[in-house]
């Protein structure tokens, strides 16, 4: 983990005085995160070496902008830069007010504005810095749609093909490479639903190159079921590819209201999309909703599948009963998290129709599917 370096700019106040305002971010790509103190004097930002804050990036003008601390905010003035100064994505034409937690951007270099978080330059703020940088990068993730879809195969047990892929979100942005990091930052900014929508859109676009067309399992975030916009986003997905087979995954814990689920199911039918309940058995197994509004696919949580080949016969019988019940309701049972040949074999014996997990294939960029032999992505039938 990179350490935060807290550097006061070369302005008139003594370096030992605690900073009131600072910019948190990376001055150059591949450099460590820096906390740059902004004190009482106006500072000049630019590419020139004599700048108070030098940004060695070709997109930054020699004399790009000026920042002046005020009592309750910063004031930024663009100096006629070529590629612009921005506050929260809005270009500054002359002057603008910048407040705490705003994103201040010079060309492509972005900083999160913070206040009085570095009173002691010796304080280790590595965890705070990682979180703050993730928030800075998240703005770029959303505004530039830098979510990278990865595809994990879902296989039909006993067949020699992968009929489907689950679309999973990744990125190359520092601090946001994993889905959990992305959604942690999204939660802090109240943008979890927006991130989920973007992940679905880019996934469907990227999947256009997969031939023959595969069924895509697209995820939702639980917050989407409690706010408007989900159906509109799915219409956008359908507009990208009217013939793309789609299964929408709903987390089992979010399946609590049969009336709402029936309404969602009707909307999905209109869009020619199917529905899957995800992580079944991870928490409360909602058998009532399973009967009232049966999904097309039921994904059994990996905690039920892990070491299933070594589990007592009584546990295997319980799972087999649930699999049989799903099948009798016309629901396709899917085993998640299959990692070994023995687990795959036991899942076949228990009646699972579909399976997913590292044994069959890890999440991979679409180029590995399009350019390579699809059969090399899948193991163990």
């Amino acid at each position: 983990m990179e350490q935060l370096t807290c550097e006061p700019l070369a302005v008139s106040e003594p370096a030992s005085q605690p900073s009131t305002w600072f910019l948190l971010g990376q001055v150059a790509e591949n450099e460590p995160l820096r906390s740059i103190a902004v004190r009482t004097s106006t500072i000049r930002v630019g590419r020139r070496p004599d700048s108070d804050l030098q940004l060695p990036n070709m997109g930054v003008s020699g004399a790009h902008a000026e920042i002046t601390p005020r009592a309750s905010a910063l004031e930024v003035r663009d100096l006629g830069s070529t590629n612009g100064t921005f506050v929260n994505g809005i270009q500054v034409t002359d002057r603008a007010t910048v407040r705490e937690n705003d994103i201040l951007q010079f060309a492509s270099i972005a900083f999160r504005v913070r206040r009085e978080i570095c009173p002691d330059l010796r304080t280790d703020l590595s965890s705070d810095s990682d979180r703050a940088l993730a928030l800075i990068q998240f703005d770029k993730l959303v505004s530039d749609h830098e979510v990278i879809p990865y595809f994990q195969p879902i296989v039909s047990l006993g067949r020699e093909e992968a009929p489907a892929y689950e679309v999973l979100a990744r990125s190359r942005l520092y601090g946001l490479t994993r889905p959990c990091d992305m959604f942690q930052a999204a939660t802090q900014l109240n943008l979890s639903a927006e991130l989920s929508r973007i992940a679905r859109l880019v996934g469907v676009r990227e999947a256009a190159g997969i031939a023959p067309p595969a069924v895509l399992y697209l995820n939702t975030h639980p917050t989407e079921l409690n706010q408007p916009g989900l159906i509109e986003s799915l219409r956008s997905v359908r507009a990208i590819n009217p013939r793309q087979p789609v299964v929408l995954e709903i987390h089992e814990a979010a399946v609590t209201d049969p009336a709402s689920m029936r309404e969602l199911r009707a909307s999905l039918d209109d869009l020619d999309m199917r529905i899957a309940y995800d992580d079944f058995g991870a928490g409360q197994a909602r058998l009532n909703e399973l009967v009232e509004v049966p999904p097309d696919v039921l994904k059994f949580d990996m905690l039920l599948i892990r070491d299933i080949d070594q589990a007592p016969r009584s546990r295997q019988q319980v799972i087999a009963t649930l699999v049989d019940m799903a099948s009798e309701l016309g629901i396709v049972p899917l085993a998640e998290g299959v990692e070994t040949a023995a687990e795959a074999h036991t899942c076949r014996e228990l009646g699972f129709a579909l399976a997913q997990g590292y044994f069959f294939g890890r999440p991979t960029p679409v180029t590995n599917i399009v350019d390579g032999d699809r059969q090399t992505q899948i193991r163990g039938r």
Side-chain angles (χ1 to χ4, degrees), residues 305-347:
I305 305 304
R306 185 170 299 158
D307 299 324
I308 188 62
D309 56 300
Q310 304 172 36
R313 185 58 188 166
S314 58
R315 178 185 164 195
Q316 293 183 0
Q317 288 175 339
V318 169
I319 295 176
T321 299
L322 292 171
V323 169
D324 289 343
M325 181 187 70
S327 298
E328 289 175 3
L329 291 171
I331 303 169
V332 178
L334 185 155
E336 291 187 288
V338 178
E339 296 189 351
T340 67
E343 289 175 351
H345 176 75
T346 302
C347 285

Side-chain angles (χ1 to χ4, degrees), residues 229-293:
L230 175 59
I231 301 304
E232 288 74 12
S233 75
L234 295 175
R235 291 194 184 106
S236 298
V237 165
R238 178 51 74 215
I240 294 173
N241 187 344
R243 292 182 295 276
Q244 174 67 59
V246 167
V247 178
L248 188 70
E249 295 195 20
I250 307 294
H251 193 279
E252 181 243 14
V255 184
T256 58
D257 182 1
S260 297
M261 293 307 301
R262 277 192 287 269
E263 184 177 345
L264 174 62
R265 181 63 191 256
S267 297
L268 291 176
D269 288 343
D270 291 340
L271 291 169
D272 192 24
M273 295 181 179
R274 295 187 293 161
I275 189 170
Y277 292 167
D278 192 18
D279 295 333
F280 179 74
Q284 178 182 356
R286 302 184 182 279
L287 299 179
N288 179 58
E289 287 80 0
L290 194 64
V291 174
E292 290 287 328
V293 191

Side-chain angles (χ1 to χ4, degrees), residues 43-110:
I43 64 171
R44 180 160 292 203
V45 180
R47 197 174 70 250
R48 292 202 304 241
D50 60 348
S51 301
D52 296 314
L53 173 55
Q54 184 189 10
L55 302 177
N57 181 289
M58 292 305 297
V60 176
S61 298
H64 197 102
E66 289 182 343
I67 305 172
T68 303
R70 303 300 186 194
S72 59
L74 296 176
E75 181 183 271
V76 62
R77 182 167 74 95
D78 187 80
L79 300 178
S81 64
T82 301
N83 294 310
T85 301
F86 304 83
V87 177
N88 298 327
I90 299 174
Q91 186 166 3
V92 177
T93 55
D94 181 25
R95 300 174 188 267
T97 298
V98 187
R99 303 190 185 280
E100 187 173 12
N101 291 323
D102 283 349
I103 299 295
L104 180 56
Q105 182 177 337
F106 309 100
S108 62
I109 308 298

